[in-house]
Amino acid sequence: PVIGVTNTSVFQGERRLCRLRIDGLFYGLAGWEGHDVPEEYEEKEYSSKILRKWFLRFDELKPSAKGYLRILKELKVPPKVVYIVGDSLERDVVPALQIGANAIWAKYGQEVEPKNFQTLCLITYRDQEKNSNMYEKAPTIPTVTINNFGELQQIIKLPPGFLPGFN
């Protein structure tokens, strides 16, 4: 199964995936337990397809590997068969390597086109300055580096059609 792990609240992470209409690609989502669904939020015509959620404590958030380990333990999955994909060497790749998972660095996340950056700002609660500063350089060597999302199909051997638009 595909599980998203974010440092934002589960509500915000799920909302982003739904707004992008990619929530159906995810079995589960793990995120910070710190925020409830805002009272003024009304569920629109679209409801999430995410089946399982994990609410992480502050000490389980990335770059800690504790959240990953908790999820894998609950699912009874060994880290060596897991692929952790992320655009942050520090927050995604380092914890993946620490637990013995396959760490895939989405290098394309370091180079954001203006159109995609505007989309990022629309679906996140951060301002543009915080989004600009979220990318860092770290001396970490991932298991694999990808330059576009479609490369996952060859690396993970996903079934045809799993990544719509990337076949």
Side-chain angles (χ1 to χ4, degrees):
V2 176
I3 298 167
V5 180
T6 180
N7 279 355
T8 191
S9 69
V10 171
F11 166 73
Q12 290 293 345
E14 184 174 29
R15 186 169 167 230
R16 288 178 197 162
L17 296 175
C18 288
R19 290 180 77 184
L20 291 169
R21 305 280 187 186
I22 60 171
D23 55 303
L25 298 175
F26 293 81
Y27 164 75
L29 178 66
W32 185 43
E33 66 183 358
H35 286 268
D36 293 325
V37 177
E39 286 183 33
E40 69 275 4
Y41 181 78
E42 292 181 33
E43 192 166 326
K44 307 288 188 232
E45 63 211 46
Y46 187 84
S47 59
S48 174
K49 295 177 178 76
I50 295 172
L51 301 174
R52 185 151 178 203
K53 298 172 191 165
W54 288 267
F55 296 88
L56 304 177
R57 298 181 316 269
F58 185 76
D59 68 311
E60 293 177 310
L61 297 175
K62 302 179 293 181
S64 171
K66 291 178 184 178
Y68 290 118
L69 290 172
R70 181 174 131 204
I71 294 164
L72 296 178
K73 183 177 179 183
E74 287 181 27
L75 294 174
K76 298 180 174 115
V77 175
K80 66 182 179 184
V81 301
V82 172
Y83 296 88
I84 296 177
V85 182
D87 64 359
S88 171
L89 289 169
E90 180 185 351
R91 290 186 305 274
D92 301 312
V93 173
V94 168
L97 294 171
Q98 287 173 343
I99 66 171
N102 296 284
I104 301 176
W105 180 39
K107 184 178 179 182
Y108 60 85
Q110 298 294 313
E111 301 162 1
V112 181
E113 294 179 24
K115 180 183 126 195
N116 294 336
F117 183 71
Q118 290 170 351
T119 301
L120 177 66
C121 291
L122 287 172
I123 65 169
T124 63
Y125 62 90
R126 297 187 196 109
D127 61 30
Q128 288 192 6
E129 181 180 341
K130 287 182 182 175
N131 278 327
S132 296
N133 293 330
M134 71 184 207
Y135 300 105
E136 76 293 317
K137 305 287 186 250
T140 301
I141 301 172
T143 308
V144 177
T145 298
I146 60 174
N147 292 305
N148 67 66
F149 200 67
E151 292 178 45
L152 289 175
Q153 189 118 20
Q154 289 78 39
I155 297 165
I156 304 177
K157 307 293 184 223
L158 298 171
F162 187 81
L163 297 174
F166 292 99
N167 294 327

